[in-house]
Amino acid sequence: MSEFHGSASRGPAPEPSRTPPPRTRATRLRHRLAELRGADVPAKALDARALAALAANPGCRRRAILDGAGVDKAKLASALGAPSGFGQSQFALTRGNAFEAKVKADGGAELLRLAHTRLDPGAEPPEAAAVPDLTAQGPEGRTARTALALREATRTGGWTLLDHPMLALDVAGSLAFLEPDAVVVHPDGSWSVVEIKSFPMLDGSADPAKVGAAARQAAVYVLALEDVAARLDPAPRVRHRVLLVCPKDFSNLPAGSAVDVRKQRAVTARQLARLTRIEEIADALPEGTCFAPDRDTEELTAAVAAVPATYAPDCLSTCELAFHCRERARAAGAVTRLGRPLRAELGGLTTVEDVLAAARGELGDPDDPAVAALRRAAALRAEALQEARAREVAAVCR
Protein backbone atom coordinates (compact mmCIF):
# COMPACT_ATOMS: atom_id res chain seq x y z
CA MET A 1 0.00 0.00 0.00
CA SER A 2 1.30 3.39 -0.90
CA GLU A 3 2.56 5.67 1.89
CA PHE A 4 1.08 8.74 0.19
CA HIS A 5 -2.58 9.61 0.80
CA GLY A 6 -4.84 12.54 0.07
CA SER A 7 -4.67 15.73 2.01
CA ALA A 8 -7.45 14.69 4.36
CA SER A 9 -5.46 11.76 5.71
CA ARG A 10 -2.02 13.40 6.11
CA GLY A 11 -2.37 14.44 9.75
CA PRO A 12 -1.31 17.77 11.23
CA ALA A 13 0.84 20.00 9.06
CA PRO A 14 4.39 20.55 10.30
CA GLU A 15 5.06 23.84 12.11
CA PRO A 16 6.95 26.43 10.13
CA SER A 17 10.67 26.55 10.83
CA ARG A 18 11.62 28.88 13.68
CA THR A 19 15.31 28.94 12.77
CA PRO A 20 16.50 32.55 12.88
CA PRO A 21 17.75 34.00 9.62
CA PRO A 22 21.52 33.87 9.17
CA ARG A 23 23.38 36.85 10.53
CA THR A 24 24.98 39.20 8.07
CA ARG A 25 28.73 39.59 7.91
CA ALA A 26 28.55 42.99 9.61
CA THR A 27 26.38 41.60 12.42
CA ARG A 28 28.76 38.68 12.96
CA LEU A 29 31.70 41.07 13.13
CA ARG A 30 29.95 43.32 15.66
CA HIS A 31 29.12 40.27 17.79
CA ARG A 32 32.73 39.03 17.60
CA LEU A 33 34.15 42.42 18.54
CA ALA A 34 31.74 42.62 21.49
CA GLU A 35 33.03 39.23 22.67
CA LEU A 36 36.62 40.47 22.46
CA ARG A 37 35.78 43.64 24.34
CA GLY A 38 33.72 41.87 26.99
CA ALA A 39 29.96 41.32 26.90
CA ASP A 40 29.17 43.98 29.50
CA VAL A 41 31.94 46.42 28.61
CA PRO A 42 30.81 49.54 26.67
CA ALA A 43 32.73 50.30 23.49
CA LYS A 44 35.19 53.19 23.50
CA ALA A 45 34.63 55.39 20.48
CA LEU A 46 37.43 55.51 17.93
CA ASP A 47 38.18 59.20 17.39
CA ALA A 48 40.23 60.98 14.75
CA ARG A 49 43.26 61.30 17.01
CA ALA A 50 43.35 57.53 17.51
CA LEU A 51 42.80 56.95 13.79
CA ALA A 52 45.69 59.25 12.91
CA ALA A 53 47.93 57.34 15.34
CA LEU A 54 46.74 54.03 13.91
CA ALA A 55 47.48 55.24 10.38
CA ALA A 56 50.99 56.21 11.51
CA ASN A 57 51.63 52.57 12.51
CA PRO A 58 49.53 50.46 10.12
CA GLY A 59 51.55 47.30 10.78
CA CYS A 60 50.40 47.06 14.40
CA ARG A 61 47.62 44.46 14.42
CA ARG A 62 47.33 44.77 18.18
CA ARG A 63 46.24 48.38 18.07
CA ALA A 64 44.00 47.72 15.05
CA ILE A 65 41.95 45.02 16.80
CA LEU A 66 41.82 46.81 20.17
CA ASP A 67 40.65 50.06 18.59
CA GLY A 68 38.29 48.24 16.25
CA ALA A 69 36.70 46.38 19.16
CA GLY A 70 36.34 49.58 21.18
CA VAL A 71 38.66 48.41 23.97
CA ASP A 72 39.67 51.09 26.47
CA LYS A 73 43.45 50.73 26.16
CA ALA A 74 44.14 52.91 29.21
CA LYS A 75 42.16 50.54 31.45
CA LEU A 76 43.72 47.53 29.74
CA ALA A 77 47.23 48.91 30.32
CA SER A 78 46.48 49.42 34.03
CA ALA A 79 45.10 45.88 34.31
CA LEU A 80 48.32 44.58 32.72
CA GLY A 81 50.41 46.44 35.31
CA ALA A 82 51.84 48.96 32.83
CA PRO A 83 49.72 52.10 33.23
CA SER A 84 50.40 54.93 30.83
CA GLY A 85 50.29 58.66 31.44
CA PHE A 86 49.16 59.20 27.86
CA GLY A 87 46.29 61.64 27.34
CA GLN A 88 45.25 65.19 28.16
CA SER A 89 44.98 66.47 31.72
CA GLN A 90 41.61 67.50 33.09
CA PHE A 91 42.84 71.09 33.26
CA ALA A 92 43.75 71.05 29.55
CA LEU A 93 40.36 69.57 28.66
CA THR A 94 38.53 72.23 30.69
CA ARG A 95 40.58 75.03 29.16
CA GLY A 96 40.02 73.64 25.66
CA ASN A 97 36.25 73.36 26.17
CA ALA A 98 36.06 76.93 27.47
CA PHE A 99 38.03 78.26 24.50
CA GLU A 100 35.87 76.32 22.01
CA ALA A 101 32.70 77.73 23.60
CA LYS A 102 34.11 81.25 23.22
CA VAL A 103 34.97 80.65 19.55
CA LYS A 104 31.47 79.34 18.80
CA ALA A 105 29.56 82.00 20.76
CA ASP A 106 26.90 84.12 19.02
CA GLY A 107 26.13 81.44 16.45
CA GLY A 108 29.77 81.00 15.54
CA ALA A 109 30.12 84.56 14.28
CA GLU A 110 33.85 84.81 15.09
CA LEU A 111 34.58 81.34 13.75
CA LEU A 112 32.84 82.13 10.47
CA ARG A 113 34.66 85.45 10.24
CA LEU A 114 37.97 83.60 10.53
CA ALA A 115 36.83 81.04 7.93
CA HIS A 116 35.95 83.87 5.56
CA THR A 117 39.22 85.71 6.16
CA ARG A 118 41.58 82.73 6.06
CA LEU A 119 39.90 80.31 3.66
CA ASP A 120 37.54 82.19 1.36
CA PRO A 121 38.17 85.98 1.33
CA GLY A 122 36.59 86.36 -2.10
CA ALA A 123 33.19 85.13 -0.91
CA GLU A 124 30.45 87.29 0.53
CA PRO A 125 30.86 88.03 4.28
CA PRO A 126 29.06 85.55 6.58
CA GLU A 127 26.52 88.00 7.98
CA ALA A 128 23.57 85.59 8.24
CA ALA A 129 24.88 82.05 8.53
CA ALA A 130 22.72 79.00 9.18
CA VAL A 131 23.48 76.73 12.15
CA PRO A 132 21.34 73.59 11.68
CA ASP A 133 20.30 71.37 14.56
CA LEU A 134 22.19 68.06 14.29
CA THR A 135 20.48 66.32 17.21
CA ALA A 136 19.55 62.68 16.54
CA GLN A 137 19.42 59.31 18.27
CA GLY A 138 22.73 57.45 18.42
CA PRO A 139 25.83 57.86 16.22
CA GLU A 140 24.11 56.36 13.16
CA GLY A 141 21.24 58.84 13.50
CA ARG A 142 23.60 61.77 13.97
CA THR A 143 25.64 60.66 10.94
CA ALA A 144 22.50 60.57 8.78
CA ARG A 145 21.37 63.95 10.14
CA THR A 146 24.79 65.46 9.36
CA ALA A 147 24.70 64.13 5.79
CA LEU A 148 21.22 65.62 5.32
CA ALA A 149 22.31 69.00 6.71
CA LEU A 150 25.35 69.06 4.42
CA ARG A 151 23.21 68.27 1.39
CA GLU A 152 20.65 70.96 2.27
CA ALA A 153 23.34 73.58 2.97
CA THR A 154 25.11 72.82 -0.31
CA ARG A 155 21.85 73.15 -2.25
CA THR A 156 20.75 76.33 -0.47
CA GLY A 157 24.00 78.30 -0.76
CA GLY A 158 25.33 80.85 1.70
CA TRP A 159 27.39 80.20 4.81
CA THR A 160 26.46 77.29 7.10
CA LEU A 161 28.16 76.18 10.31
CA LEU A 162 27.80 72.57 11.46
CA ASP A 163 28.69 72.42 15.16
CA HIS A 164 30.10 69.00 16.14
CA PRO A 165 28.74 67.05 13.17
CA MET A 166 29.05 63.26 13.12
CA LEU A 167 30.90 61.54 10.29
CA ALA A 168 31.57 57.87 9.60
CA LEU A 169 34.66 56.26 8.07
CA ASP A 170 35.25 52.61 7.23
CA VAL A 171 38.48 51.49 8.86
CA ALA A 172 39.65 47.97 7.97
CA GLY A 173 36.07 46.74 7.75
CA SER A 174 34.85 48.43 10.94
CA LEU A 175 32.87 51.68 11.00
CA ALA A 176 34.41 54.53 13.03
CA PHE A 177 32.24 57.52 14.01
CA LEU A 178 34.11 60.83 14.07
CA GLU A 179 33.15 64.20 15.51
CA PRO A 180 35.11 67.20 14.20
CA ASP A 181 34.87 70.49 16.09
CA ALA A 182 33.02 72.06 13.16
CA VAL A 183 32.47 71.92 9.43
CA VAL A 184 31.80 75.07 7.38
CA VAL A 185 29.82 75.06 4.13
CA HIS A 186 30.89 77.94 1.87
CA PRO A 187 28.57 79.93 -0.43
CA ASP A 188 30.00 78.06 -3.45
CA GLY A 189 28.93 74.75 -1.88
CA SER A 190 32.43 73.58 -0.86
CA TRP A 191 33.13 72.15 2.62
CA SER A 192 35.92 72.94 5.11
CA VAL A 193 37.00 71.26 8.34
CA VAL A 194 37.61 73.41 11.42
CA GLU A 195 39.98 72.33 14.19
CA ILE A 196 39.90 74.27 17.48
CA LYS A 197 42.93 73.78 19.73
CA SER A 198 43.92 75.34 23.04
CA PHE A 199 47.67 75.66 22.36
CA PRO A 200 48.70 79.28 21.64
CA MET A 201 49.51 80.88 18.31
CA LEU A 202 52.42 83.22 19.03
CA ASP A 203 53.13 85.98 16.50
CA GLY A 204 51.01 84.16 13.93
CA SER A 205 52.61 80.72 14.29
CA ALA A 206 52.24 77.78 16.66
CA ASP A 207 54.35 74.82 17.79
CA PRO A 208 55.10 72.87 14.58
CA ALA A 209 54.73 69.49 16.32
CA LYS A 210 51.29 70.40 17.64
CA VAL A 211 50.22 71.86 14.30
CA GLY A 212 51.36 68.66 12.60
CA ALA A 213 49.31 66.54 14.98
CA ALA A 214 46.27 68.76 14.37
CA ALA A 215 46.80 68.47 10.61
CA ARG A 216 46.90 64.67 10.78
CA GLN A 217 43.70 64.67 12.82
CA ALA A 218 42.00 67.06 10.40
CA ALA A 219 43.07 64.86 7.48
CA VAL A 220 40.98 62.02 8.92
CA TYR A 221 37.94 64.33 8.96
CA VAL A 222 38.64 65.36 5.37
CA LEU A 223 38.62 61.70 4.30
CA ALA A 224 35.32 61.12 6.11
CA LEU A 225 33.80 64.25 4.50
CA GLU A 226 34.92 63.05 1.08
CA ASP A 227 32.94 59.85 1.65
CA VAL A 228 29.81 61.92 2.33
CA ALA A 229 30.44 64.14 -0.70
CA ALA A 230 30.91 61.12 -2.98
CA ARG A 231 27.32 60.08 -2.34
CA LEU A 232 25.95 63.38 -3.66
CA ASP A 233 25.43 64.27 -7.32
CA PRO A 234 27.21 66.43 -8.19
CA ALA A 235 29.80 65.80 -5.47
CA PRO A 236 30.69 68.99 -3.53
CA ARG A 237 34.34 69.93 -3.20
CA VAL A 238 35.97 69.13 0.12
CA ARG A 239 38.68 71.72 0.66
CA HIS A 240 42.13 70.46 1.62
CA ARG A 241 42.95 73.67 3.47
CA VAL A 242 41.47 73.43 6.96
CA LEU A 243 40.97 76.22 9.48
CA LEU A 244 43.05 75.89 12.65
CA VAL A 245 41.79 78.15 15.45
CA CYS A 246 44.00 78.76 18.51
CA PRO A 247 44.31 81.40 21.26
CA LYS A 248 46.22 84.45 20.08
CA ASP A 249 49.52 84.95 21.92
CA PHE A 250 48.80 84.63 25.67
CA SER A 251 45.21 85.85 25.52
CA ASN A 252 41.95 83.96 25.12
CA LEU A 253 41.18 85.71 21.82
CA PRO A 254 40.86 83.35 18.82
CA ALA A 255 43.29 83.49 15.92
CA GLY A 256 42.93 81.48 12.71
CA SER A 257 45.36 79.92 10.28
CA ALA A 258 44.81 77.98 7.05
CA VAL A 259 46.64 74.63 7.09
CA ASP A 260 47.10 72.60 3.92
CA VAL A 261 46.53 68.92 4.77
CA ARG A 262 46.93 67.39 1.30
CA LYS A 263 50.08 65.54 2.29
CA GLN A 264 48.61 64.27 5.57
CA ARG A 265 45.42 63.24 3.80
CA ALA A 266 47.31 61.23 1.17
CA VAL A 267 49.51 59.50 3.76
CA THR A 268 46.56 58.71 6.04
CA ALA A 269 44.48 57.30 3.18
CA ARG A 270 47.37 55.12 2.03
CA GLN A 271 48.14 53.85 5.53
CA LEU A 272 44.51 53.12 6.40
CA ALA A 273 44.21 51.16 3.15
CA ARG A 274 47.18 49.05 4.25
CA LEU A 275 45.54 47.99 7.49
CA THR A 276 44.73 44.32 7.72
CA ARG A 277 40.97 43.89 7.92
CA ILE A 278 39.84 43.65 11.53
CA GLU A 279 37.75 40.61 10.68
CA GLU A 280 40.88 38.71 9.58
CA ILE A 281 42.71 39.61 12.79
CA ALA A 282 39.73 38.55 14.93
CA ASP A 283 39.36 35.23 13.11
CA ALA A 284 43.03 34.41 13.78
CA LEU A 285 42.67 34.80 17.56
CA PRO A 286 42.24 31.75 19.84
CA GLU A 287 38.70 30.90 20.88
CA GLY A 288 37.67 32.66 24.09
CA THR A 289 40.10 35.57 23.73
CA CYS A 290 38.81 38.57 25.68
CA PHE A 291 40.35 41.92 26.59
CA ALA A 292 37.91 42.87 29.37
CA PRO A 293 39.93 44.69 32.08
CA ASP A 294 38.30 42.68 34.89
CA ARG A 295 39.95 39.46 33.69
CA ASP A 296 42.89 37.85 35.46
CA THR A 297 46.25 39.50 34.68
CA GLU A 298 47.74 36.30 33.26
CA GLU A 299 44.71 35.76 31.05
CA LEU A 300 44.86 39.37 29.80
CA THR A 301 48.60 39.10 29.15
CA ALA A 302 48.06 35.96 27.07
CA ALA A 303 45.18 37.59 25.18
CA VAL A 304 47.26 40.66 24.29
CA ALA A 305 50.26 38.50 23.36
CA ALA A 306 48.06 36.58 20.89
CA VAL A 307 47.95 39.67 18.66
CA PRO A 308 51.24 40.74 17.01
CA ALA A 309 52.37 44.27 17.79
CA THR A 310 54.77 46.60 15.98
CA TYR A 311 56.26 48.71 18.75
CA ALA A 312 58.28 51.84 18.01
CA PRO A 313 59.39 54.71 20.29
CA ASP A 314 56.75 56.92 18.63
CA CYS A 315 54.08 54.80 20.32
CA LEU A 316 54.94 56.38 23.69
CA SER A 317 53.21 59.60 22.63
CA THR A 318 50.28 58.04 20.77
CA CYS A 319 49.23 54.77 22.43
CA GLU A 320 48.13 53.94 25.97
CA LEU A 321 49.54 50.42 25.69
CA ALA A 322 53.04 51.61 24.74
CA PHE A 323 54.76 50.83 28.07
CA HIS A 324 53.51 47.24 28.00
CA CYS A 325 54.58 46.76 24.39
CA ARG A 326 57.99 48.35 25.04
CA GLU A 327 58.59 45.96 27.92
CA ARG A 328 57.77 42.98 25.72
CA ALA A 329 59.89 44.33 22.85
CA ARG A 330 62.86 44.69 25.20
CA ALA A 331 62.39 41.17 26.53
CA ALA A 332 62.30 39.80 22.97
CA GLY A 333 65.29 41.89 21.89
CA ALA A 334 63.27 43.35 19.02
CA VAL A 335 65.03 46.02 16.97
CA THR A 336 61.76 47.91 16.50
CA ARG A 337 62.29 49.46 19.94
CA LEU A 338 65.26 51.33 18.48
CA GLY A 339 63.09 53.17 15.96
CA ARG A 340 61.49 52.60 12.55
CA PRO A 341 64.37 54.07 10.44
CA LEU A 342 66.87 51.63 11.95
CA ARG A 343 64.42 48.76 11.63
CA ALA A 344 64.01 49.54 7.93
CA GLU A 345 67.80 49.53 7.42
CA LEU A 346 68.26 46.10 9.01
CA GLY A 347 66.08 44.17 6.57
CA GLY A 348 65.46 40.62 7.76
CA LEU A 349 67.40 41.04 11.02
CA THR A 350 64.63 41.46 13.57
CA THR A 351 66.41 41.01 16.92
CA VAL A 352 69.42 42.64 18.54
CA GLU A 353 70.99 39.19 18.95
CA ASP A 354 70.71 38.56 15.19
CA VAL A 355 72.23 41.97 14.46
CA LEU A 356 75.25 41.31 16.69
CA ALA A 357 75.68 37.81 15.25
CA ALA A 358 75.61 39.23 11.72
CA ALA A 359 78.20 41.86 12.68
CA ARG A 360 80.49 39.11 14.05
CA GLY A 361 80.13 37.11 10.83
CA GLU A 362 78.17 34.29 12.49
CA LEU A 363 74.86 34.90 10.72
CA GLY A 364 73.48 36.29 7.49
CA ASP A 365 74.30 36.41 3.80
CA PRO A 366 77.50 38.40 3.12
CA ASP A 367 75.86 39.78 -0.04
CA ASP A 368 73.01 41.26 1.97
CA PRO A 369 73.63 45.04 2.11
CA ALA A 370 72.54 45.22 5.77
CA VAL A 371 74.85 42.35 6.78
CA ALA A 372 77.75 43.79 4.76
CA ALA A 373 77.29 47.21 6.40
CA LEU A 374 77.20 45.67 9.88
CA ARG A 375 80.41 43.69 9.27
CA ARG A 376 82.14 46.75 7.85
CA ALA A 377 81.08 48.77 10.91
CA ALA A 378 82.29 45.99 13.23
CA ALA A 379 85.65 45.90 11.44
CA LEU A 380 86.04 49.68 11.71
CA ARG A 381 85.14 49.55 15.41
CA ALA A 382 87.69 46.79 16.06
CA GLU A 383 90.35 48.73 14.15
CA ALA A 384 89.62 51.91 16.14
CA LEU A 385 89.76 50.04 19.46
CA GLN A 386 93.04 48.39 18.50
CA GLU A 387 94.60 51.73 17.64
CA ALA A 388 93.37 53.21 20.92
CA ARG A 389 94.88 50.32 22.91
CA ALA A 390 98.17 50.71 21.02
CA ARG A 391 98.30 54.40 21.93
CA GLU A 392 97.61 53.58 25.59
CA VAL A 393 100.42 51.00 25.65
CA ALA A 394 102.81 53.45 23.99
CA ALA A 395 101.94 56.13 26.54
CA VAL A 396 102.61 53.73 29.44
CA CYS A 397 105.94 52.62 28.02
CA ARG A 398 107.19 56.20 27.85
Side-chain angles (χ1 to χ4, degrees), residues 111-126 128-130 149-162 182-194 225 236-243 258:
L111 190 154
L112 287 165
R113 185 191 67 79
L114 290 172
H116 174 252
T117 304
R118 301 298 181 185
L119 300 179
D120 201 359
E124 61 185 45
L150 284 167
R151 183 167 67 247
E152 291 175 347
T154 303
R155 185 181 304 152
T156 304
W159 290 91
T160 300
L161 173 64
L162 276 67
V183 169
V184 171
V185 179
H186 298 250
D188 63 358
S190 58
W191 304 346
S192 292
V193 171
V194 177
L225 268 182
R237 178 167 66 100
V238 179
R239 295 179 177 236
H240 291 163
R241 291 202 332 151
V242 305
L243 178 65

Side-chain angles (χ1 to χ4, degrees), residues 258-279:
V259 180
D260 192 325
V261 299
R262 281 178 295 181
K263 179 180 178 182
Q264 291 84 353
R265 180 219 163 273
V267 170
T268 302
R270 183 171 64 250
Q271 298 292 60
L272 289 178
R274 287 179 54 200
L275 285 173
T276 303
R277 292 187 67 84
I278 292 173
E279 190 175 7

Side-chain angles (χ1 to χ4, degrees), residues 139-220:
E140 292 87 354
R142 290 184 59 198
T143 301
R145 182 68 188 90
T146 295
L148 178 61
L150 284 167
R151 183 167 67 247
E152 291 175 347
T154 303
R155 185 181 304 152
T156 304
W159 290 91
T160 300
L161 173 64
L162 276 67
D163 185 6
H164 281 289
M166 183 67 75
L167 306 172
L169 186 65
D170 184 277
V171 181
S174 181
L175 207 58
F177 294 99
L178 310 170
E179 188 176 354
D181 293 328
V183 169
V184 171
V185 179
H186 298 250
D188 63 358
S190 58
W191 304 346
S192 292
V193 171
V194 177
E195 272 291 280
I196 302 174
K197 297 296 184 183
S198 59
F199 55 81
M201 194 175 290
L202 305 175
D203 294 328
S205 62
D207 183 343
K210 293 181 178 179
V211 172
R216 289 189 293 273
Q217 188 174 338
V220 175

Side-chain angles (χ1 to χ4, degrees), residues 223-248:
L223 286 172
L225 268 182
E226 288 176 346
D227 277 359
V228 180
R231 293 193 290 271
L232 301 182
D233 187 20
R237 178 167 66 100
V238 179
R239 295 179 177 236
H240 291 163
R241 291 202 332 151
V242 305
L243 178 65
L244 176 63
V245 182
C246 301
K248 182 179 181 181

